[in-house]
Amino acid sequence: MLLVTGGAGYIGSHFVHEYLRQQKGSIIVVDDLSEGHEQAVADSGAKLVKCNIGDREAMEQVFSENKIEAVVHFAASAYVGVSQEQPFKYFQNNVVQTLSLLELMEKHGIRKIVFSSTCATYGTPTYVPIDEKHPQSPINVYGSTKLMVEKALDALAIAKGWSFVALRYFNAAGAADDGSIGEHHDPETHLIPLVLQAAKGTIPHIQVNGSDYDTPDGTCIRDYIHVTDLADAHIRALDLLHKEGVREFINLGTEKGNSVKEVISVCAQVTGKDIPQKFGPRRPGDPASLVANATKAAQVLGWKPQRDLKNILETAWKWEQNPKY
């Protein structure tokens, strides 16, 4: 059995559905539903335990009552801005509670884990596209907490023979093809759902933060990757853990960046709507361009993303028009 923490969240729920669709095995999801949605896994076939991974007694029961063979760890607080305002909340949720999870795994002899990391561990890039050898100098608390966990996993691999794959995502986006699950955050901070909400009229306009970057059209460039492609990468990472002594840090991205203006333009094509926009100043700490070098993912996982920006936006728009939660 596979334990998936944070499996009712955005990326976690898409992984759960894809894993079970591929009939890879059974899943137990642990999620306190502070950010996740019960409806996102209700029809998946996974068992849901509503608790925080830091709840020692509840987690002990999960490990004792289920024959868990490996863990996929998504559970985390993930708002960059909030992490700057509430650093100790992020240290507690992302680091302390993860260490508690890892300690229980060790106690029960489970030493295989796929970890949801982030390109935020790199900080401001010194070169683009970013490969795994790029220096890790996070510029926000969120990225720092993810790097701390990466270091902990590497130490456990050396000291206790753990096997792990830490997947450093770039910008997750999109929704399930059938519109059954998708992206819903409160508050919403991600560009694509905000642009689609502007197209739908839910919000009056999309705010573009900065139009004077050193990019072809002056707006930030990001590497958008479909959430189902991300799910597939996690499944391949789990397959890799059948080997002993796996210690891998792997970027997940498309190697193709799209600017804010490009995203808005393709959204207009997909929706057939005019999208009101307003331009404002840059946000502090926003790099001009964040694009992955995903060569290692292809070499080690045999993985390449299958969806382009248009498909991302089509699936996200299908979800946005009729969200289930």
Side-chain angles (χ1 to χ4, degrees), residues 26-73:
S26 56
I27 283 179
I28 181 166
V29 169
V30 170
D31 198 305
D32 66 4
L33 303 180
S34 59
E35 302 288 347
H37 305 274
E38 187 170 359
Q39 303 96 310
V41 291
D43 298 324
S44 66
K47 177 184 176 183
L48 173 63
V49 176
K50 301 173 194 175
C51 78
N52 189 289
I53 62 167
D55 183 336
R56 189 77 176 197
E57 184 178 346
M59 290 300 295
E60 178 65 54
Q61 188 173 350
V62 168
F63 279 100
S64 298
E65 294 181 354
N66 299 277
K67 189 173 176 54
I68 295 166
E69 298 170 354
V71 174
V72 183
H73 181 34

Side-chain angles (χ1 to χ4, degrees), residues 227-238:
V227 67
T228 302
D229 284 332
L230 279 181
D232 180 60
H234 287 73
I235 293 169
R236 292 169 182 264
L238 280 168

